[in-house]
Amino acid sequence: MRTKWHNRAWPAALPALALVLLATAGCTGTGSPGSSAKPGASPSTSGARQQVARVCAKPPAGLEKPPAGAVEIDPGKVGDLATKTGDAPPGTTFWLRPGKHRLPAERYAQVIPKEGDRYIGAPGAVLDGRKKNQYAFGGDAPDVTISHLTVQGFVPPQDEGVVNKGSADGWVIEHSAIQYNSGAGLMAGARQQVRDNCLRGNGQYGMNAYKDGDSIRGLVVEGNEITGNNTGDWEKRRKGCGCTGGIKFWAVDRADIRANWVHDNRGTGLWADTNNNDFRIENNLIEANDGAALIYEISYNAVVRDNTIRRNNLVEGRRSAERGDAFPYGSVYISESGGEPRVDARTDKIEVYRNRLENNWNGITLWESADRFCNSPANTSSGDCTLLVKDKERCKRPGIKTEPLYADCRWKTQRVDIHDNRFVLAKPEIDCSSRCDRMALLSNYGTYPNWSPYKGDKVQKSITDKQHNRWHDNAYVGPWRFVAQDMGKVLDDGQWQALPYEQDAGSTFDLPAGG
């Protein structure tokens, strides 16, 4: 697997069983143990009904009787599931009886499905790795279904996953609990559907949407509760690794991420990193994650709408402020990402609208590193190039100094449209006196490498003035400040709206209410 490093720091109809209804009047749930979710907190400002998953506390029951023609799996026989899978033809349905199912006590023992196999759990069916097996379901067979099953206690290596270990295509994982495993609970392949699951307490990720050497075309993540992941605190073990989150997405093309409850993860809630494209992130409740609610990094074309985003980044944001770091880490952090009409997608920009952001540590940050581009040593994503110039060897002297390479060798924060959102900040509620109250549009002064064509303030001026990044028609409640061009320019709302920035036309500011 490619090693990935990130660049966050300076400079470098939904199934009813899985859902809790959130209407504009408020939320009926109070959150999981340890959650900061509050009853009655309002969701988005769109006026639409919003649904969000609450699966872990009330998982849907399995099938009490086996489907017609199913092969029954006996929990009393160690390895019965793997053995019968090997003996059966493709397209077999397996019904796991109630009880704890086990694989042989060998490190690499796992179930290797065949094309079209289906695994359905009875009430109380658990596949337990007992901290002995690395993987539960592997292989490369497509179109496998896993439902109504608890999968726990597996110990895959870093960056690898327990279910769909081989990132095979067309898998459906639904109505299941993938919990308390090391590494990632799930991997992902093309056309994968992840619906109405509890992805809880996994050591690194709830899901690592990554396929070695390939992009993932088409991914649906709907109605899941994604909570308490990164128990191994990998960012502390490998500082700056960018290898954690509720879900991490790598090179996913066309994803629908909707109606999930993403909360109380150590680190980022949802993190799209490296050449992702065409995401729709909508109607999610993202709250109480230690880091950002959402990071969209060196990626393209997305719609982020009708989400409720609250009390994120309080741990990591406060930690950075206490150590004197003035960088405006956003709870929605768009880093070297933007709209690109030449990359095929359902939109040609990044549009962020009809969201409610409430009492997060900072708001939305648009950032572009002048030193991070294809073939630069400061590109922290393992030598990947942009989707416009796939051969990184083209992005070097002298060609990179001239068009089209000068433009196309950069991941650009461009064509970001932020409108009709509600931003609420009450500093006493998040115990903050400073550095928690910022929107930001900025870059750094380019210095590296010495042959870079982007040295100086070129990128700072471009991201601010030339790349069509706009805030407008938003509602602000609370004492918001604004950072433009570089960290040293901290503005009030009047300066933010005035020349030369002319941001937030048509927006309203109610400063006293959130003071």
Side-chain angles (χ1 to χ4, degrees), residues 44-59:
S44 74
T45 59
S46 66
R49 289 157 66 89
Q50 185 183 45
Q51 293 177 313
V52 67
R54 189 181 183 189
V55 187
C56 295
K58 296 180 179 180

Side-chain angles (χ1 to χ4, degrees), residues 265-286:
N265 294 285
R266 176 179 281 165
T268 302
L270 302 174
W271 190 343
D273 184 357
T274 308
N275 286 343
N276 298 280
N277 175 52
D278 196 5
F279 272 51
R280 286 185 178 175
I281 301 169
E282 55 191 353
N283 289 299
N284 301 284
L285 174 57
I286 310 175

Side-chain angles (χ1 to χ4, degrees), residues 224-251:
N224 304 281
E225 184 174 352
I226 303 158
T227 182
N229 296 290
N230 187 26
T231 60
D233 199 7
W234 274 94
E235 302 291 342
K236 183 177 289 186
R237 293 164 66 177
R238 290 183 58 191
K239 187 175 181 181
C241 74
C243 61
T244 57
I247 298 181
K248 194 74 182 280
F249 305 90
W250 314 93

Side-chain angles (χ1 to χ4, degrees), residues 3 28 64 102 204 218 225 265 300 343 374 396 433 471:
T3 300
T28 60
E64 294 187 358
R102 296 163 293 166
Q204 192 176 0
E225 184 174 352
N265 294 285
Y300 301 86
V343 176
C374 179
K396 61 183 182 182
S433 59
W471 278 256

Side-chain angles (χ1 to χ4, degrees), residues 284-311:
N284 301 284
L285 174 57
I286 310 175
E287 62 180 341
N289 297 287
D290 286 2
L294 170 64
I295 298 177
Y296 206 70
E297 182 176 4
I298 59 171
S299 294
Y300 301 86
N301 301 324
V303 172
V304 181
R305 63 187 175 196
D306 296 322
N307 301 286
T308 299
I309 298 171
R310 60 193 181 198
R311 299 188 64 81

Side-chain angles (χ1 to χ4, degrees), residues 58-236:
K58 296 180 179 180
L63 300 186
E64 294 187 358
K65 296 181 179 180
V71 174
E72 296 189 29
I73 306 300
D74 184 356
K77 296 180 180 180
V78 174
D80 196 40
L81 180 59
T83 298
K84 288 180 176 175
T85 295
D87 293 341
T92 298
T93 296
F94 302 89
W95 181 70
L96 286 75
R97 294 176 183 169
K100 189 170 287 187
H101 297 258
R102 296 163 293 166
L103 299 171
E106 301 170 2
R107 181 178 180 183
Y108 297 109
Q110 59 191 284
V111 181
I112 306 295
K114 298 182 177 73
E115 182 175 358
D117 283 351
R118 297 174 59 85
Y119 298 86
I120 302 173
V126 177
L127 181 58
D128 194 334
R130 299 177 290 163
K131 303 297 182 183
K132 299 180 183 296
N133 310 118
Q134 289 192 346
Y135 314 111
F137 294 92
D140 58 4
D143 303 325
V144 172
T145 297
I146 297 169
S147 69
H148 297 92
L149 184 63
T150 295
V151 181
Q152 64 186 32
F154 288 83
V155 286
Q158 180 187 350
D159 296 326
E160 296 190 30
V162 172
V163 174
N164 197 10
K165 184 263 179 184
S167 299
D169 296 340
W171 283 41
V172 176
I173 300 100
E174 60 186 0
H175 309 304
S176 295
I178 316 297
Q179 60 185 19
Y180 311 132
N181 304 286
S182 302
L186 304 178
M187 301 300 286
R191 300 180 288 104
Q192 182 158 302
Q193 299 182 45
V194 182
R195 300 179 185 273
D196 306 318
N197 301 286
C198 172
L199 307 181
R200 168 172 59 184
N202 296 289
Q204 192 176 0
Y205 309 100
M207 181 171 73
N208 185 13
Y210 171 85
K211 189 166 186 175
D212 193 12
D214 201 0
S215 62
I216 296 170
R217 172 67 176 173
L219 178 63
V220 174
V221 181
E222 179 178 29
N224 304 281
E225 184 174 352
I226 303 158
T227 182
N229 296 290
N230 187 26
T231 60
D233 199 7
W234 274 94
E235 302 291 342
K236 183 177 289 186

